[in-house]
Amino acid sequence: MPRKTDARARAIATAERLFRIQGFAATGLTQIIAESGSPKGSFYFHFPRGKTQLAEETIDLYLANRAAVFRQISANTTGDAPTFFKQIFGAIAAEMIADDYQYGCLMQNLANELSTLDAGLTERLARGFVDLCDIIAEHLRGCGFAPTLASSSAAALLAAIEGGRTIARVERAPAVFEALADVFCRRWPAPAG
């Protein structure tokens, strides 16, 4: 019976960390293989299409994890848009504090670099943003937002998160997320009735 290893999972985790810290282009396969501790042969067994396949699988896992966080926050704040906004921004701020402001958003980093270079990865990223917007919009509809307002508010929330990450990373402080939570709670309070 073949021995099971975690080389594949280690490679994906290492790629996510490096893509979030230094970007896609600056991260070479040699570095990923070395830092993950994966044997080169094992790496190409798991990722025969190389860095592109690794990026696809890293995006998929990152999105699944991000969606799970958003769904959990949604479940904890049913019908309560202001608390949902506070918890979303609070979760992102806590994550950035925990990683000492080193990590950007994987999707934002890759989208900035790959939008003109790799149509397949760009399409995957675009679908990911749509999926996250859908989770947020569904929650906001459950809070009484009209469908159009729920969709536009979801898009604004994601844009604010991405911009907030950039500012927090440069300032090395979470204050921007507190400001964003305040603005969202004032602009989009729970609908009356």
Side-chain angles (χ1 to χ4, degrees), residues 109-121:
N109 286 2
L110 296 182
N112 287 338
E113 287 187 69
L114 300 175
S115 62
T116 59
L117 301 176
D118 191 308
L121 288 176

Side-chain angles (χ1 to χ4, degrees), residues 63-190:
L63 280 168
N65 291 336
R66 189 68 44 204
V69 169
F70 283 17
R71 284 189 182 100
Q72 184 61 52
I73 292 171
S74 177
N76 293 341
T77 60
T78 301
D80 184 350
T83 302
F84 177 76
F85 294 139
K86 288 176 190 172
Q87 286 190 14
I88 289 281
F89 287 119
I92 302 297
E95 176 186 301
M96 294 202 71
I97 291 166
D99 68 35
D100 197 28
Y101 303 96
Q102 292 182 56
Y103 292 34
C105 172
L106 175 77
M107 294 172 58
Q108 181 184 32
N109 286 2
L110 296 182
N112 287 338
E113 287 187 69
L114 300 175
S115 62
T116 59
L117 301 176
D118 191 308
L121 288 176
T122 300
E123 169 75 19
R124 192 177 225 101
L125 292 167
R127 280 194 318 264
F129 280 118
V130 167
D131 291 346
L132 293 177
C133 264
D134 288 347
I135 293 167
I136 296 166
E138 180 181 344
H139 178 83
L140 296 178
R141 286 191 302 273
C143 293
F145 284 58
T148 303
L149 180 59
S151 294
S152 64
S153 299
L157 180 66
L158 276 183
I161 288 169
E162 296 306 328
R165 276 186 182 280
T166 300
I167 293 168
R169 199 171 179 197
V170 170
E171 293 181 348
R172 299 185 59 76
V176 67
F177 294 113
E178 294 165 13
L180 287 167
D182 183 59
V183 167
F184 270 73
C185 289
R186 289 174 193 254
R187 173 65 177 93
W188 292 289

Side-chain angles (χ1 to χ4, degrees), residues 10-25:
R10 285 194 328 261
I12 291 171
T14 301
E16 178 186 329
R17 178 176 55 78
L18 293 172
F19 292 161
R20 290 180 71 188
I21 292 171
Q22 61 194 35
F24 183 82

